[in-house]
Amino acid sequence: MGYAPLTLQEVARRIREALTDPEGGEADAWRPIREFLDDFRAAAPEVRQAMIEARPEPTGDPRFDAYLAALAEHLAVHHGLRVPRWVEEPGRFLDRWWFPTRFRSLHAMALVESPAAFRRRGIFVDHTELERC
């Protein structure tokens, strides 16, 4: 068997583990998201739909649940995929705005640059959020 790319279901599981690990935490919760983005970019177009389609279980943090929905919607729209139904669940939207960056100086930029799928969920990120070096 070859390498299987991460799915958002698996990403949610890994986030949940990071958030509940006494030695882990929010910083470690971002690692599976970055790995998923790498896998998504490397995946064949016919594999990408399967990577976002299955509903991720809750992570234990509503911010990450909303983030995964925003990510799935954004990737689907920008790669000509079907937007999964689960992204519209009520638990996939935030009541309070969230700026994942710890730098307040970037908040104004994030308000302007955040993709629509993130903004409509109350998540504000800058244009580099979905890029990898």
Side-chain angles (χ1 to χ4, degrees):
M1 270 197 256
Y3 177 77
L6 283 176
T7 65
L8 287 181
Q9 265 188 335
E10 177 64 15
V11 170
R13 186 188 68 74
R14 290 183 185 188
I15 291 171
R16 196 169 37 257
E17 286 177 359
L19 294 175
T20 57
D21 181 352
E23 296 179 19
E26 190 172 322
D28 288 344
W30 290 102
R31 183 173 296 121
I33 293 170
R34 302 295 179 233
E35 291 171 359
F36 170 84
L37 285 169
D38 289 343
D39 283 357
F40 188 87
R41 285 194 177 81
E46 62 273 10
V47 174
R48 289 176 172 169
Q49 186 70 50
M51 294 174 69
I52 65 171
E53 189 65 39
R55 178 189 180 275
E57 292 299 317
T59 62
D61 185 327
R63 299 172 307 168
F64 281 100
D65 296 337
Y67 187 97
L68 293 180
L71 184 59
E73 179 181 333
H74 177 80
L75 292 173
V77 168
H78 288 277
H79 292 277
L81 304 172
R82 190 175 55 258
V83 177
R85 289 184 187 170
W86 62 266
V87 304
E88 296 297 331
E89 293 173 352
R92 305 292 178 170
F93 295 83
L94 298 177
D95 294 330
R96 293 187 64 188
W97 287 4
W98 180 38
F99 295 85
T101 182
R102 63 179 185 255
F103 302 109
R104 290 190 63 107
S105 59
L106 296 177
H107 289 192
M109 187 183 317
L111 283 168
V112 173
E113 296 179 348
S114 194
F118 288 82
R119 279 195 319 265
R120 73 187 203 95
R121 288 178 173 79
I123 303 168
F124 297 92
V125 297
D126 70 37
H127 73 279
T128 64
E129 179 69 18
L130 303 175
E131 296 174 4
R132 292 281 286 174
C133 297

